[in-house]
Amino acid sequence: MREQRTRRSVKQFADRLGFVYFGFVNQRDDEHRLLRGITTSKSHTDHHYTVGTFDSYDIALTVRRDTLEYPDRRLKDHFWTILTVDLHTTHDIPPFYLTHQRAKEQLLARYTQMTPLITGTQAPTGNDFSTTYTVYANMTQAIEVQQLINQHLSQGIMTYFKDMSIELVDDTLYLYAPEKHPSKQLLERMLMNGVWLAKTIDTVAPTIYQ
């Protein structure tokens, strides 16, 4: 019953925006674009796959399930509502992962190649941001990531993104909400905030790489 309500919510969200709802997609057989990022694996499954364009930005949405193995051998099911936004910038922005402190355990189960950064050294972010979020990036690109996450961007994340995590890789933003059954309100918030963040990064990028 709840899965039916979730399907109805996502379809209504898609229909209102003129998006296309595909439902379940098979990462091995379907021709749809695979949403990658930190949660990609050989075992994940994607449901409620939806694509469209909003405010000139290409958008994709899915609800992903996967079982993660932790360093202590625990196996645990996780669900994420994922919304992606393709950036417009032509600059090669380095990948980073920004996670709420409450979601760090999921990161440690999958991602060990990145290093936590000390934010605020290249651009002010505010104490609340540095104690609420951890930013992971490659150390060789740390300065660029720190310049990108300036005070305007970090305070916007603090205000609007709540407990979401954010990833940027291959010029695509990934927003992660730890939700198996997203409401229309959550989907709308992810969309509006994701486009705001994409516009902000598109605006800041030229000032870093000029």
Side-chain angles (χ1 to χ4, degrees):
M1 181 66 72
R2 193 170 184 190
E3 184 61 28
Q4 292 176 349
R5 288 200 300 267
T6 301
R7 181 178 184 274
R8 184 164 58 249
S9 294
V10 177
K11 278 187 60 65
Q12 289 175 349
F13 170 80
D15 291 344
R16 185 178 67 81
L17 295 166
F19 289 5
V20 180
Y21 176 88
F22 292 96
F24 172 78
V25 293
N26 188 315
Q27 62 169 304
R28 297 174 181 82
D29 299 331
D30 283 316
E31 297 179 357
H32 305 295
R33 170 191 171 189
L34 173 64
L35 300 189
R36 298 188 180 278
I38 190 174
T39 59
T40 306
S41 74
K42 294 180 180 179
S43 59
H44 80 252
T45 56
D46 284 345
H47 298 264
H48 308 298
Y49 183 82
T50 302
V51 297
T53 301
F54 181 81
D55 202 6
S56 80
Y57 284 91
D58 290 336
I59 308 293
L61 167 74
T62 196
V63 177
R64 176 166 290 172
R65 174 195 175 277
D66 201 3
T67 301
L68 303 187
E69 181 177 357
Y70 288 80
D72 59 6
R73 300 290 187 174
R74 282 180 299 133
L75 295 177
K76 186 176 180 180
D77 283 345
H78 286 282
F79 293 87
W80 303 273
T81 295
I82 305 172
L83 185 135
T84 70
V85 185
D86 291 345
L87 299 178
H88 289 167
T89 183
T90 57
H91 297 286
D92 188 16
I93 299 178
F96 67 83
Y97 183 82
L98 187 156
T99 180
H100 197 282
Q101 299 289 7
R102 291 195 296 268
K104 286 177 67 174
E105 187 183 30
Q106 297 179 23
L107 171 73
L108 295 175
R110 176 67 56 75
Y111 231 158
T112 57
Q113 299 174 343
M114 290 188 171
T115 302
L117 305 183
I118 300 175
T119 55
T121 59
Q122 298 297 320
T125 59
N127 292 333
D128 289 345
F129 179 82
S130 60
T131 57
T132 305
Y133 287 92
T134 301
V135 181
Y136 292 82
N138 293 317
M139 285 305 296
T140 57
Q141 299 168 311
I143 292 178
E144 296 169 59
V145 173
Q146 290 169 330
Q147 290 175 331
L148 184 67
I149 304 176
N150 59 23
Q151 187 168 18
H152 175 63
L153 189 147
S154 63
Q155 292 307 305
I157 292 172
M158 284 287 299
T159 303
Y160 300 114
F161 286 77
K162 305 298 182 183
D163 59 349
M164 295 182 200
S165 296
I166 300 165
E167 183 179 17
L168 191 152
V169 61
D170 296 331
D171 297 324
T172 298
L173 274 174
Y174 291 76
L175 271 61
Y176 300 99
E179 181 58 62
K180 181 180 180 181
H181 299 289
S183 64
K184 286 187 292 184
Q185 292 78 13
L186 174 62
L187 297 175
E188 290 169 359
R189 182 163 66 91
M190 293 181 75
L191 175 65
M192 300 306 295
N193 293 348
V195 170
W196 171 84
L197 184 57
K199 287 182 177 180
T200 302
I201 292 175
D202 282 338
T203 301
V204 173
T207 67
I208 299 174
Y209 299 99
Q210 61 184 355

